Amino acid sequence: MSIESIDAIPVRLRRDEAYLGATPSHTKVGNYYLRPPYRCLYSETYETVFVRLRTSEGISAWGEALAPVAPEVVCNIIEQLLAPALIGREPLGAGRLWHLMYDLMRDRGYYGGHMLDAISAVDIALWDAAGKLLNQPVRTLIGGAFREDVPCYVSGLPRPTDDERVDLALDWQGKGFHAFKLAAGYGVRADETTTRRLREALEGGTTLLLDAHWAYTVEEALQLGRRLEDLEVGFFEAPINPEDIAGHARLRDGITIPVAVGETERTRYQFRPWLEQRAISVLQPDIGRAGISESMVIAQMAEAFNARMAPHLSVGLGPCNAASIQLAAALPNLYLLEYQPPVVELASSLLQEPLVVEAGRFMIPEGPGLGVELDLAKVRAANC
């Protein structure tokens, strides 16, 4: 039994509405664009990398990297570095193979960024292969399920005005969803106003979360956090520059709202100082950047510091969504899983069987491995 091939497939899918809403027309940067006040590049299309791993027994397994910009970079790493190191090896033992891949470029300083995104995609495919070979779902292989379905929050509320955001949240609430994250970072006063509008409009017991997309200084984040304390905000995500661990520790000491960080980090080594410096309450690794093997290590480390897990899940499609659900089912310290409605809809359109989200909960895909199968014909037809 051995790994026969590993193929990386770059994907670009066009939708009527770009991620987080309409695309600005005046901030183009090559094939991408800026979305002020946020600083990073966004794409007009949904971009990702699918990995297809095949074994000598004829098993086909799927993985995916979170690659919202320049997916070909991740593909090149997989094809030139990772696949040659794994082909011919036993596919079982994803944790051991994670270390093999991680060590390939570790001494050269490549222990983050695109290198880890590529490793994560292959790691997910290895777990899918293991599940199919052993006829078990991933959640069982990584420790067993703590829940029969996975609680989630509606992410973004991508509408241009407060009235429209409130209407969208009320519409979701009517469908049984009671946790919402606001895409914030538009200024202390504006974010406070929007959050208060939502709190006043929504039923009691509704969870409100805030994602500032790294837009604030420590002082601004402290000011906003203190203004929001009476609104029972569930967490304050990505408030200041992601490199500033000490600043986050100062913020966490200065407000009662839990501080959430993690989509920028990929390994136990990157998360460790956050926990040691008590700079974080909720960890948000993205499985398309951390993989299944390392996400489990991160979750276990977080549990030792009494921290909770709320896995990040933005533009990852079918395998990323399914892997995140399998992971979340097996976490004793899970808070909530992110739910991006248009992304899940797009992901489902490429799967043989759609993902199901009902009344604020992800249904866990049944079947071995990830429990989903990509339809390559649909992927090819939709790819730009």
PDB file of all heavy atoms in Angstrom, residues 317-347:
ATOM      1  N   LEU A 317     -13.239  25.790   0.123  1.00  0.00           N
ATOM      2  CA  LEU A 317     -14.438  25.192  -0.472  1.00  0.00           C
ATOM      3  C   LEU A 317     -14.649  23.755   0.047  1.00  0.00           C
ATOM      4  O   LEU A 317     -14.463  23.512   1.224  1.00  0.00           O
ATOM      5  CB  LEU A 317     -14.334  25.259  -1.996  1.00  0.00           C
ATOM      6  CG  LEU A 317     -14.323  26.698  -2.546  1.00  0.00           C
ATOM      7  CD1 LEU A 317     -14.117  26.707  -4.056  1.00  0.00           C
ATOM      8  CD2 LEU A 317     -15.595  27.438  -2.188  1.00  0.00           C
ATOM      9  N   GLY A 318     -15.068  22.818  -0.789  1.00  0.00           N
ATOM     10  CA  GLY A 318     -15.558  21.525  -0.332  1.00  0.00           C
ATOM     11  C   GLY A 318     -14.676  20.787   0.657  1.00  0.00           C
ATOM     12  O   GLY A 318     -15.084  20.531   1.798  1.00  0.00           O
ATOM     13  N   PRO A 319     -13.449  20.389   0.299  1.00  0.00           N
ATOM     14  CA  PRO A 319     -12.610  19.667   1.249  1.00  0.00           C
ATOM     15  C   PRO A 319     -12.284  20.476   2.505  1.00  0.00           C
ATOM     16  O   PRO A 319     -12.255  19.922   3.601  1.00  0.00           O
ATOM     17  CB  PRO A 319     -11.342  19.365   0.432  1.00  0.00           C
ATOM     18  CG  PRO A 319     -11.816  19.318  -0.986  1.00  0.00           C
ATOM     19  CD  PRO A 319     -12.872  20.379  -1.070  1.00  0.00           C
ATOM     20  N   CYS A 320     -12.048  21.775   2.360  1.00  0.00           N
ATOM     21  CA  CYS A 320     -11.772  22.611   3.538  1.00  0.00           C
ATOM     22  C   CYS A 320     -12.975  22.639   4.480  1.00  0.00           C
ATOM     23  O   CYS A 320     -12.823  22.508   5.702  1.00  0.00           O
ATOM     24  CB  CYS A 320     -11.423  24.035   3.107  1.00  0.00           C
ATOM     25  SG  CYS A 320      -9.655  24.401   3.133  1.00  0.00           S
ATOM     26  N   ASN A 321     -14.163  22.836   3.926  1.00  0.00           N
ATOM     27  CA  ASN A 321     -15.365  22.861   4.755  1.00  0.00           C
ATOM     28  C   ASN A 321     -15.569  21.522   5.450  1.00  0.00           C
ATOM     29  O   ASN A 321     -15.820  21.456   6.657  1.00  0.00           O
ATOM     30  CB  ASN A 321     -16.589  23.213   3.908  1.00  0.00           C
ATOM     31  CG  ASN A 321     -16.771  24.699   3.713  1.00  0.00           C
ATOM     32  OD1 ASN A 321     -17.468  25.352   4.478  1.00  0.00           O
ATOM     33  ND2 ASN A 321     -16.132  25.243   2.697  1.00  0.00           N
ATOM     34  N   ALA A 322     -15.484  20.440   4.692  1.00  0.00           N
ATOM     35  CA  ALA A 322     -15.706  19.122   5.270  1.00  0.00           C
ATOM     36  C   ALA A 322     -14.664  18.801   6.335  1.00  0.00           C
ATOM     37  O   ALA A 322     -14.994  18.258   7.400  1.00  0.00           O
ATOM     38  CB  ALA A 322     -15.698  18.066   4.170  1.00  0.00           C
ATOM     39  N   ALA A 323     -13.393  19.126   6.068  1.00  0.00           N
ATOM     40  CA  ALA A 323     -12.337  18.874   7.046  1.00  0.00           C
ATOM     41  C   ALA A 323     -12.551  19.705   8.306  1.00  0.00           C
ATOM     42  O   ALA A 323     -12.314  19.219   9.428  1.00  0.00           O
ATOM     43  CB  ALA A 323     -10.969  19.179   6.429  1.00  0.00           C
ATOM     44  N   SER A 324     -12.995  20.941   8.152  1.00  0.00           N
ATOM     45  CA  SER A 324     -13.253  21.799   9.311  1.00  0.00           C
ATOM     46  C   SER A 324     -14.387  21.247  10.167  1.00  0.00           C
ATOM     47  O   SER A 324     -14.329  21.287  11.400  1.00  0.00           O
ATOM     48  CB  SER A 324     -13.594  23.217   8.843  1.00  0.00           C
ATOM     49  OG  SER A 324     -12.519  23.793   8.132  1.00  0.00           O
ATOM     50  N   ILE A 325     -15.426  20.735   9.524  1.00  0.00           N
ATOM     51  CA  ILE A 325     -16.548  20.147  10.254  1.00  0.00           C
ATOM     52  C   ILE A 325     -16.099  18.893  10.995  1.00  0.00           C
ATOM     53  O   ILE A 325     -16.442  18.691  12.174  1.00  0.00           O
ATOM     54  CB  ILE A 325     -17.711  19.841   9.291  1.00  0.00           C
ATOM     55  CG1 ILE A 325     -18.245  21.128   8.660  1.00  0.00           C
ATOM     56  CG2 ILE A 325     -18.841  19.123  10.033  1.00  0.00           C
ATOM     57  CD1 ILE A 325     -19.148  20.905   7.462  1.00  0.00           C
ATOM     58  N   GLN A 326     -15.320  18.041  10.331  1.00  0.00           N
ATOM     59  CA  GLN A 326     -14.812  16.831  10.979  1.00  0.00           C
ATOM     60  C   GLN A 326     -13.936  17.200  12.181  1.00  0.00           C
ATOM     61  O   GLN A 326     -14.038  16.586  13.263  1.00  0.00           O
ATOM     62  CB  GLN A 326     -14.013  15.991   9.982  1.00  0.00           C
ATOM     63  CG  GLN A 326     -14.805  15.420   8.823  1.00  0.00           C
ATOM     64  CD  GLN A 326     -15.653  14.208   9.205  1.00  0.00           C
ATOM     65  OE1 GLN A 326     -15.486  13.623  10.274  1.00  0.00           O
ATOM     66  NE2 GLN A 326     -16.568  13.833   8.326  1.00  0.00           N
ATOM     67  N   LEU A 327     -13.060  18.180  12.002  1.00  0.00           N
ATOM     68  CA  LEU A 327     -12.210  18.643  13.100  1.00  0.00           C
ATOM     69  C   LEU A 327     -13.047  19.181  14.245  1.00  0.00           C
ATOM     70  O   LEU A 327     -12.858  18.807  15.412  1.00  0.00           O
ATOM     71  CB  LEU A 327     -11.247  19.722  12.597  1.00  0.00           C
ATOM     72  CG  LEU A 327     -10.453  20.445  13.682  1.00  0.00           C
ATOM     73  CD1 LEU A 327      -9.335  19.545  14.206  1.00  0.00           C
ATOM     74  CD2 LEU A 327      -9.869  21.766  13.162  1.00  0.00           C
ATOM     75  N   ALA A 328     -13.989  20.074  13.934  1.00  0.00           N
ATOM     76  CA  ALA A 328     -14.795  20.708  14.974  1.00  0.00           C
ATOM     77  C   ALA A 328     -15.588  19.681  15.775  1.00  0.00           C
ATOM     78  O   ALA A 328     -15.779  19.827  16.989  1.00  0.00           O
ATOM     79  CB  ALA A 328     -15.733  21.734  14.345  1.00  0.00           C
ATOM     80  N   ALA A 329     -16.043  18.629  15.109  1.00  0.00           N
ATOM     81  CA  ALA A 329     -16.794  17.592  15.805  1.00  0.00           C
ATOM     82  C   ALA A 329     -15.951  16.905  16.865  1.00  0.00           C
ATOM     83  O   ALA A 329     -16.481  16.435  17.884  1.00  0.00           O
ATOM     84  CB  ALA A 329     -17.313  16.564  14.804  1.00  0.00           C
ATOM     85  N   ALA A 330     -14.626  16.871  16.666  1.00  0.00           N
ATOM     86  CA  ALA A 330     -13.733  16.129  17.556  1.00  0.00           C
ATOM     87  C   ALA A 330     -13.014  17.017  18.570  1.00  0.00           C
ATOM     88  O   ALA A 330     -12.106  16.549  19.262  1.00  0.00           O
ATOM     89  CB  ALA A 330     -12.705  15.368  16.722  1.00  0.00           C
ATOM     90  N   LEU A 331     -13.406  18.293  18.689  1.00  0.00           N
ATOM     91  CA  LEU A 331     -12.737  19.202  19.617  1.00  0.00           C
ATOM     92  C   LEU A 331     -13.522  19.319  20.927  1.00  0.00           C
ATOM     93  O   LEU A 331     -14.663  19.788  20.929  1.00  0.00           O
ATOM     94  CB  LEU A 331     -12.602  20.594  18.995  1.00  0.00           C
ATOM     95  CG  LEU A 331     -11.713  20.724  17.753  1.00  0.00           C
ATOM     96  CD1 LEU A 331     -11.718  22.166  17.257  1.00  0.00           C
ATOM     97  CD2 LEU A 331     -10.293  20.252  18.039  1.00  0.00           C
ATOM     98  N   PRO A 332     -12.926  18.967  22.055  1.00  0.00           N
ATOM     99  CA  PRO A 332     -13.629  19.159  23.327  1.00  0.00           C
ATOM    100  C   PRO A 332     -13.788  20.623  23.695  1.00  0.00           C
ATOM    101  O   PRO A 332     -14.712  20.989  24.433  1.00  0.00           O
ATOM    102  CB  PRO A 332     -12.730  18.425  24.335  1.00  0.00           C
ATOM    103  CG  PRO A 332     -11.376  18.406  23.709  1.00  0.00           C
ATOM    104  CD  PRO A 332     -11.618  18.315  22.233  1.00  0.00           C
ATOM    105  N   ASN A 333     -12.903  21.486  23.190  1.00  0.00           N
ATOM    106  CA  ASN A 333     -12.924  22.904  23.532  1.00  0.00           C
ATOM    107  C   ASN A 333     -13.434  23.779  22.380  1.00  0.00           C
ATOM    108  O   ASN A 333     -13.036  24.937  22.236  1.00  0.00           O
ATOM    109  CB  ASN A 333     -11.541  23.382  23.975  1.00  0.00           C
ATOM    110  CG  ASN A 333     -10.424  23.041  22.992  1.00  0.00           C
ATOM    111  OD1 ASN A 333     -10.570  22.166  22.144  1.00  0.00           O
ATOM    112  ND2 ASN A 333      -9.311  23.743  23.100  1.00  0.00           N
ATOM    113  N   LEU A 334     -14.336  23.232  21.566  1.00  0.00           N
ATOM    114  CA  LEU A 334     -14.929  24.015  20.473  1.00  0.00           C
ATOM    115  C   LEU A 334     -15.854  25.101  21.013  1.00  0.00           C
ATOM    116  O   LEU A 334     -16.651  24.854  21.925  1.00  0.00           O
ATOM    117  CB  LEU A 334     -15.730  23.102  19.537  1.00  0.00           C
ATOM    118  CG  LEU A 334     -16.472  23.815  18.395  1.00  0.00           C
ATOM    119  CD1 LEU A 334     -15.491  24.299  17.336  1.00  0.00           C
ATOM    120  CD2 LEU A 334     -17.529  22.910  17.779  1.00  0.00           C
ATOM    121  N   TYR A 335     -15.761  26.298  20.428  1.00  0.00           N
ATOM    122  CA  TYR A 335     -16.724  27.371  20.688  1.00  0.00           C
ATOM    123  C   TYR A 335     -17.757  27.380  19.569  1.00  0.00           C
ATOM    124  O   TYR A 335     -18.899  26.969  19.740  1.00  0.00           O
ATOM    125  CB  TYR A 335     -15.996  28.700  20.816  1.00  0.00           C
ATOM    126  CG  TYR A 335     -16.899  29.904  21.041  1.00  0.00           C
ATOM    127  CD1 TYR A 335     -18.038  29.817  21.833  1.00  0.00           C
ATOM    128  CD2 TYR A 335     -16.596  31.133  20.463  1.00  0.00           C
ATOM    129  CE1 TYR A 335     -18.860  30.921  22.047  1.00  0.00           C
ATOM    130  CE2 TYR A 335     -17.399  32.240  20.681  1.00  0.00           C
ATOM    131  CZ  TYR A 335     -18.527  32.138  21.459  1.00  0.00           C
ATOM    132  OH  TYR A 335     -19.328  33.236  21.666  1.00  0.00           O
ATOM    133  N   LEU A 336     -17.362  27.812  18.388  1.00  0.00           N
ATOM    134  CA  LEU A 336     -18.232  27.844  17.218  1.00  0.00           C
ATOM    135  C   LEU A 336     -17.367  27.658  15.970  1.00  0.00           C
ATOM    136  O   LEU A 336     -16.172  27.972  15.984  1.00  0.00           O
ATOM    137  CB  LEU A 336     -18.980  29.183  17.111  1.00  0.00           C
ATOM    138  CG  LEU A 336     -20.042  29.513  18.155  1.00  0.00           C
ATOM    139  CD1 LEU A 336     -20.420  30.993  18.056  1.00  0.00           C
ATOM    140  CD2 LEU A 336     -21.271  28.644  17.976  1.00  0.00           C
ATOM    141  N   LEU A 337     -17.984  27.193  14.899  1.00  0.00           N
ATOM    142  CA  LEU A 337     -17.327  27.112  13.598  1.00  0.00           C
ATOM    143  C   LEU A 337     -17.895  28.198  12.694  1.00  0.00           C
ATOM    144  O   LEU A 337     -19.091  28.485  12.723  1.00  0.00           O
ATOM    145  CB  LEU A 337     -17.557  25.735  12.969  1.00  0.00           C
ATOM    146  CG  LEU A 337     -16.924  25.474  11.591  1.00  0.00           C
ATOM    147  CD1 LEU A 337     -15.413  25.630  11.627  1.00  0.00           C
ATOM    148  CD2 LEU A 337     -17.300  24.083  11.084  1.00  0.00           C
ATOM    149  N   GLU A 338     -17.043  28.797  11.886  1.00  0.00           N
ATOM    150  CA  GLU A 338     -17.465  29.870  10.982  1.00  0.00           C
ATOM    151  C   GLU A 338     -18.306  29.308   9.828  1.00  0.00           C
ATOM    152  O   GLU A 338     -18.006  28.237   9.292  1.00  0.00           O
ATOM    153  CB  GLU A 338     -16.236  30.589  10.435  1.00  0.00           C
ATOM    154  CG  GLU A 338     -16.540  31.834   9.626  1.00  0.00           C
ATOM    155  CD  GLU A 338     -15.329  32.726   9.429  1.00  0.00           C
ATOM    156  OE1 GLU A 338     -14.205  32.288   9.768  1.00  0.00           O
ATOM    157  OE2 GLU A 338     -15.496  33.853   8.951  1.00  0.00           O
ATOM    158  N   TYR A 339     -19.335  30.067   9.449  1.00  0.00           N
ATOM    159  CA  TYR A 339     -20.209  29.669   8.336  1.00  0.00           C
ATOM    160  C   TYR A 339     -20.356  30.846   7.389  1.00  0.00           C
ATOM    161  O   TYR A 339     -20.897  31.891   7.745  1.00  0.00           O
ATOM    162  CB  TYR A 339     -21.574  29.242   8.873  1.00  0.00           C
ATOM    163  CG  TYR A 339     -22.670  29.080   7.829  1.00  0.00           C
ATOM    164  CD1 TYR A 339     -22.430  28.439   6.611  1.00  0.00           C
ATOM    165  CD2 TYR A 339     -23.959  29.575   8.060  1.00  0.00           C
ATOM    166  CE1 TYR A 339     -23.430  28.293   5.663  1.00  0.00           C
ATOM    167  CE2 TYR A 339     -24.969  29.428   7.119  1.00  0.00           C
ATOM    168  CZ  TYR A 339     -24.705  28.797   5.926  1.00  0.00           C
ATOM    169  OH  TYR A 339     -25.703  28.654   4.979  1.00  0.00           O
ATOM    170  N   GLN A 340     -19.822  30.691   6.169  1.00  0.00           N
ATOM    171  CA  GLN A 340     -19.933  31.687   5.111  1.00  0.00           C
ATOM    172  C   GLN A 340     -20.975  31.181   4.119  1.00  0.00           C
ATOM    173  O   GLN A 340     -20.659  30.330   3.274  1.00  0.00           O
ATOM    174  CB  GLN A 340     -18.591  31.858   4.403  1.00  0.00           C
ATOM    175  CG  GLN A 340     -17.449  32.302   5.300  1.00  0.00           C
ATOM    176  CD  GLN A 340     -17.329  33.812   5.353  1.00  0.00           C
ATOM    177  OE1 GLN A 340     -18.103  34.533   4.725  1.00  0.00           O
ATOM    178  NE2 GLN A 340     -16.362  34.301   6.108  1.00  0.00           N
ATOM    179  N   PRO A 341     -22.215  31.657   4.175  1.00  0.00           N
ATOM    180  CA  PRO A 341     -23.271  31.084   3.327  1.00  0.00           C
ATOM    181  C   PRO A 341     -22.942  31.011   1.839  1.00  0.00           C
ATOM    182  O   PRO A 341     -23.110  29.944   1.228  1.00  0.00           O
ATOM    183  CB  PRO A 341     -24.477  31.986   3.617  1.00  0.00           C
ATOM    184  CG  PRO A 341     -24.242  32.462   5.013  1.00  0.00           C
ATOM    185  CD  PRO A 341     -22.754  32.658   5.119  1.00  0.00           C
ATOM    186  N   PRO A 342     -22.458  32.091   1.191  1.00  0.00           N
ATOM    187  CA  PRO A 342     -22.188  31.971  -0.249  1.00  0.00           C
ATOM    188  C   PRO A 342     -21.051  31.015  -0.558  1.00  0.00           C
ATOM    189  O   PRO A 342     -21.037  30.371  -1.612  1.00  0.00           O
ATOM    190  CB  PRO A 342     -21.840  33.401  -0.674  1.00  0.00           C
ATOM    191  CG  PRO A 342     -21.435  34.094   0.579  1.00  0.00           C
ATOM    192  CD  PRO A 342     -22.212  33.466   1.677  1.00  0.00           C
ATOM    193  N   VAL A 343     -20.084  30.893   0.364  1.00  0.00           N
ATOM    194  CA  VAL A 343     -18.962  29.981   0.147  1.00  0.00           C
ATOM    195  C   VAL A 343     -19.427  28.533   0.244  1.00  0.00           C
ATOM    196  O   VAL A 343     -19.061  27.679  -0.574  1.00  0.00           O
ATOM    197  CB  VAL A 343     -17.831  30.263   1.158  1.00  0.00           C
ATOM    198  CG1 VAL A 343     -16.698  29.255   0.985  1.00  0.00           C
ATOM    199  CG2 VAL A 343     -17.307  31.685   0.984  1.00  0.00           C
ATOM    200  N   VAL A 344     -20.249  28.242   1.251  1.00  0.00           N
ATOM    201  CA  VAL A 344     -20.753  26.882   1.406  1.00  0.00           C
ATOM    202  C   VAL A 344     -21.653  26.503   0.224  1.00  0.00           C
ATOM    203  O   VAL A 344     -21.620  25.374  -0.271  1.00  0.00           O
ATOM    204  CB  VAL A 344     -21.508  26.731   2.740  1.00  0.00           C
ATOM    205  CG1 VAL A 344     -22.215  25.384   2.828  1.00  0.00           C
ATOM    206  CG2 VAL A 344     -20.536  26.893   3.906  1.00  0.00           C
ATOM    207  N   GLU A 345     -22.436  27.464  -0.245  1.00  0.00           N
ATOM    208  CA  GLU A 345     -23.270  27.212  -1.433  1.00  0.00           C
ATOM    209  C   GLU A 345     -22.402  26.869  -2.641  1.00  0.00           C
ATOM    210  O   GLU A 345     -22.689  25.913  -3.377  1.00  0.00           O
ATOM    211  CB  GLU A 345     -24.121  28.445  -1.737  1.00  0.00           C
ATOM    212  CG  GLU A 345     -24.981  28.303  -2.982  1.00  0.00           C
ATOM    213  CD  GLU A 345     -25.680  29.599  -3.374  1.00  0.00           C
ATOM    214  OE1 GLU A 345     -25.545  30.592  -2.637  1.00  0.00           O
ATOM    215  OE2 GLU A 345     -26.330  29.612  -4.432  1.00  0.00           O
ATOM    216  N   LEU A 346     -21.326  27.632  -2.833  1.00  0.00           N
ATOM    217  CA  LEU A 346     -20.419  27.368  -3.948  1.00  0.00           C
ATOM    218  C   LEU A 346     -19.718  26.024  -3.768  1.00  0.00           C
ATOM    219  O   LEU A 346     -19.599  25.239  -4.708  1.00  0.00           O
ATOM    220  CB  LEU A 346     -19.391  28.497  -4.056  1.00  0.00           C
ATOM    221  CG  LEU A 346     -18.331  28.370  -5.148  1.00  0.00           C
ATOM    222  CD1 LEU A 346     -18.975  28.243  -6.525  1.00  0.00           C
ATOM    223  CD2 LEU A 346     -17.370  29.550  -5.107  1.00  0.00           C
ATOM    224  N   ALA A 347     -19.255  25.759  -2.548  1.00  0.00           N
ATOM    225  CA  ALA A 347     -18.595  24.482  -2.273  1.00  0.00           C
ATOM    226  C   ALA A 347     -19.519  23.316  -2.587  1.00  0.00           C
ATOM    227  O   ALA A 347     -19.118  22.329  -3.226  1.00  0.00           O
ATOM    228  CB  ALA A 347     -18.144  24.433  -0.814  1.00  0.00           C
TER     229      ALA A 347
END
